Amino acid sequence: MLSLGRIQFVHPFMGNMQVYPRLQQAYQQGQKQLALLIDPDGLDDAALERLLDIAAEGIIDYLFLGGSLMVHDRLDHCLLRIRQRAALPIVLFPGSPLQIHPGADAILFLSLISGRNPELLIGQHVIAAPYIRDAGLETIPTGYMLIDGGAPTTASYMSNTLPLPADKPAIAVCTALAGTMLGLQVLYLDAGSGARQPVPVALISAVRDAVNTPLIIGGGIRTPQQAQQAWAAGADVLVVGNAVERNPVLLAELAATKLDFAP
Ligand code: 1GP
């Protein structure tokens, strides 16, 4: 199975932008950041180009790439398009080890610490590790916490886990603390793609007060006001996907909101 062995894979559009130092520096300086999530399955080429037109204007900080379930083999194609259009760090946000690709700059090495599925706490990581090593990807150990967004999401169904209750910040705080004590360097609180309700502000601020790591928040963010509240509560990076796929102009509005927080 470990057919890649120790051969370093060289890909024609391999990335070389360091991501974790940017995350950490922005967190320490109180600088808010915005990530656009691209699900290669969810966008045809015309929609992808529309988003990349906006992304190329320098208003976002990262492109996250991945999905809980991919039905079409479009990762390679999307990565090439992105590299051709936008000089941005590309961060894999993988739903499975099938989404490892040397054309990205970094990978969120996700431990699903809100759940109790051993496959997503260590099992899939063992399978993925040699491929990530051979792809030469920067690996960002990330505590991934699914938060109840008001309805089942693809992420909760595919991961076979229950999301954390949105109205129980104490559970989120203890989970976040345990994650950082285990050495996870970033926490990603996610209400899930297309969530009815984004991660509650009270939960973000409770976790923010408890840990000293960059906080990524995503899922169900649809308006500049929701973004403003999440950043104000202590989010460092906001991730948006669905809403900007439907309305690409929202990306510019979110970027303008981010400027309110310029340190
Ligand atoms: C999902 O956090 C991301 O994992 C983004 O969610 O598509 O709802 O913006 P949306």
Side-chain angles (χ1 to χ4, degrees), residues 189-214:
L189 279 54
D190 194 351
S193 182
R196 285 185 192 158
Q197 307 294 334
V199 178
V201 167
L203 194 142
I204 298 172
S205 56
V207 172
R208 171 73 293 153
D209 288 347
V211 299
N212 293 311
T213 58

Side-chain angles (χ1 to χ4, degrees), residues 52 80 83 87 95 102 119 134 139 143 156 163 179 188 195-196 198 203 237 249:
L52 291 178
L80 181 56
R83 280 275 179 247
E119 276 299 308
D134 293 346
T139 306
S156 61
Y188 187 160
R196 285 185 192 158
L203 194 142
V237 182
V249 174

